Amino acid sequence: MKKIEFTAVVPVAGAGTRLRPHTYTYPKVLLTVGDKPIIGHILDELKEAGIRKVCLVTGYLGEKIKEYVGTHYKELEVSYVEQPEPKGLGHAIWLTRGRVTGPALVMLGDTIISADLRKFMDSPDDCIAVKEVADPRRFGVVEVKKGYISALAEKPENPPSKLAIVGIYSFRNSARLYAALERLVDSGRTTKGEIQFTDALALLVKDGHKLRPVAIDGWYDCGKPETLLETNRYILNSGKFPSKAKNSLILPPVYISPSAKVENSIIGPYTSIGDGARVVSSIISDSIVNENAFIINMNLSGSLVGPSATVAGRKDKLNVGENSEIRFDRTDCDS
Ligand code: UTP
C-alpha cells in the first residue's frame, strides 16, 4: 500500500515569554534540551516518520531559526511563512493556507513528543493527540463520545474532561481545516485575546466532522524553565551521549558536546553542556548550559545558563574554628 505523504506544519513564531530572559535574544526553539535545540528534536522526529516537507511559521527572531534549520536540515524540503504578530496558534496555521495542500500534520514548536507519528498518519480519521492531566484548565480540552471528539474548549474554567490537547494533529484533507480556520478568522472571534486553533477545531466538530482522540504518554513540554529541565532529564535518561571531560567526575546521565571543554569539575546527573561551552572548577547538576557559555568556580543545580553567558563564582579559603557557622546562602541575614 502506498503511504500518503503528509506535510508537517510547525508554528514557531511565538515570543516564548515564559522563558525570558533567554528568549529576549534567542527564539525558544533554539534553546538546548538534551543534546540539541528543541527544533532539532522535532525535525528529527518528523524525519524518522518519513516526512520530507515541512512548513515552519516563523516570526519572532525567525532569521535565527531559518539559519539553524537551513544549516542542519538540508535533506528536508522546508518552506517558511511569516507571522508578523503572534495573534494565536489558529492565526499561525491559517497563514499556511495556499502553501500546504493535501494531508497535513500539525506539530507544536515547544513540545517534544515520543509517539509513533505513523499512528496519526495511517489512521483513516483525522486525529488529535491527547493526554490525561491532573489540571486541564491551562490547556485545550476535549470531550469524547463514542470514540470521537464531541466538543473542544480552550483553557476552560470548568473542563468537560481531564483530556488535554497536547500538540499533534493530523488532517487527511487540509482544505477542510483551512476552510474552518478561514471562517474563524473572518468571524473575528478570539478566546483569551488570541485566534485559537482549538476554536477552529470546535467549528469542524460542530459541522459533524469526525476527529479521533489518540492518547499518548510521551509528551514533554519545553515552555517554562521547570518543564524544560524536566524534558532535559527525560531526554538524557533515554539515550547514550558523549561526556568527555578533563580531570572531572561525571555522574550520568550527562551530555557534554564534543566541542565543549570541561575541566576539574563534577558534572551530573541530568546536565547538558552545549557546543563550545567551557566549564572550569565547578559542580553542576540538573542544569542546561547553552552553547559558548563560560562557567567557573560555581556550584549550580536546577539552572539554565543562556548562550554565551558567563557565570563566575568565588574561591574562598577558610580556617574555621570550633562552633563556627559560615553561611553563603544569606538565610536570616535580612532579619
Ligand atoms: P505557546 O503559547 O506555548 O508559545 O504556543 P509562546 O507564545 O511562544 O510562549 P509564551 O506563552 O509566550 O511563553 C505554542 C506554539 O505555537 C507557536 C509558538 O511558537 C509555540 O511553538 N505560536 C503561538 C505561533 O507560532 N504563533 C502564535 O501566535 C502563537
Side-chain angles (χ1 to χ4, degrees), residues 33-36 41-42 45 48 111-116 131 216-222 226-241 252-255 269-272 286-288:
V33 59
D35 60 332
K36 58 179 97 101
H41 292 281
I42 294 168
E45 186 97 20
E48 217 167 280
T111 46
I112 292 175
I113 305 278
S114 162
D116 181 5
K131 184 175 163 62
I216 61 166
D217 280 329
W219 168 69
Y220 304 94
D221 180 34
C222 299
E226 58 275 25
T227 58
L228 193 62
L229 287 172
E230 204 177 311
T231 301
N232 192 53
R233 292 196 287 274
Y234 157 73
I235 291 171
L236 292 179
N237 250 340
S238 59
K240 246 191 146 343
F241 299 101
V254 159
Y255 165 72
Y270 302 115
T271 301
S272 290
D286 192 24
S287 295
I288 301 174

Side-chain angles (χ1 to χ4, degrees), residues 29-296:
V29 285
L30 289 193
L31 293 174
T32 299
V33 59
D35 60 332
K36 58 179 97 101
I38 297 167
I39 189 72
H41 292 281
I42 294 168
L43 294 177
D44 283 349
E45 186 97 20
L46 292 172
K47 257 173 42 181
E48 217 167 280
I51 286 182
R52 291 283 154 263
K53 284 192 201 163
V54 179
C55 180
L56 287 180
V57 185
T58 53
Y60 182 71
L61 300 173
E63 288 310 312
K64 289 189 173 171
I65 300 173
K66 285 182 196 169
E67 194 185 317
Y68 177 82
V69 174
T71 313
H72 292 83
Y73 290 89
K74 291 192 175 24
E75 66 281 28
L76 290 174
E77 205 182 298
V78 184
S79 61
Y80 298 92
V81 169
E82 178 78 9
Q83 187 188 28
E85 261 180 83
K87 292 185 177 173
L89 189 56
H91 180 254
I93 295 163
W94 170 73
L95 289 173
T96 65
R97 74 203 185 286
R99 196 63 78 82
V100 175
T101 52
L105 183 83
V106 175
M107 233 170 134
L108 296 197
D110 61 352
T111 46
I112 292 175
I113 305 278
S114 162
D116 181 5
L117 293 181
R118 293 263 33 130
K119 244 195 199 170
F120 290 78
M121 296 187 282
D122 292 342
S123 164
D125 296 310
D126 291 351
C127 300
I128 297 183
V130 296
K131 184 175 163 62
E132 197 166 312
V133 296
D135 182 6
R137 282 174 301 181
R138 62 185 187 91
F139 298 93
V141 180
V142 301
E143 184 185 65
V144 179
K145 278 192 188 144
K146 294 187 184 150
Y148 288 97
I149 292 171
S150 52
L152 303 93
E154 185 62 33
K155 300 187 183 73
E157 287 294 324
N158 301 305
S161 77
K162 286 189 179 296
L163 286 178
I165 301 175
V166 290
I168 311 179
Y169 315 74
S170 66
F171 303 93
R172 292 177 85 83
N173 175 1
S174 57
R176 220 177 280 145
L177 168 70
Y178 288 121
L181 282 164
E182 193 79 35
R183 270 167 62 203
L184 178 70
V185 172
D186 280 351
S187 74
R189 175 167 171 203
T190 57
T191 302
K192 307 235 162 22
E194 294 193 347
I195 300 172
Q196 300 284 359
F197 192 40
T198 306
D199 289 339
L201 302 176
L203 286 178
L204 277 177
V205 167
K206 234 176 161 184
D207 283 354
H209 186 69
K210 284 194 160 172
L211 287 177
R212 197 161 70 81
V214 174
I216 61 166
D217 280 329
W219 168 69
Y220 304 94
D221 180 34
C222 299
K224 298 184 286 181
E226 58 275 25
T227 58
L228 193 62
L229 287 172
E230 204 177 311
T231 301
N232 192 53
R233 292 196 287 274
Y234 157 73
I235 291 171
L236 292 179
N237 250 340
S238 59
K240 246 191 146 343
F241 299 101
S243 58
K244 220 173 117 213
K246 198 173 144 195
N247 199 22
S248 297
L249 178 63
I250 303 296
L251 305 170
V254 159
Y255 165 72
I256 300 176
S257 159
S259 64
K261 284 203 170 73
V262 174
E263 54 191 289
N264 303 331
S265 295
I266 302 174
I267 306 294
Y270 302 115
T271 301
S272 290
I273 313 275
D275 295 342
R278 226 181 122 212
V279 177
V280 181
S281 305
S282 294
I283 301 172
I284 309 182
S285 65
D286 192 24
S287 295
I288 301 174
V289 176
N290 276 273
E291 59 183 27
N292 300 320
F294 175 45
I295 298 180
I296 183 163

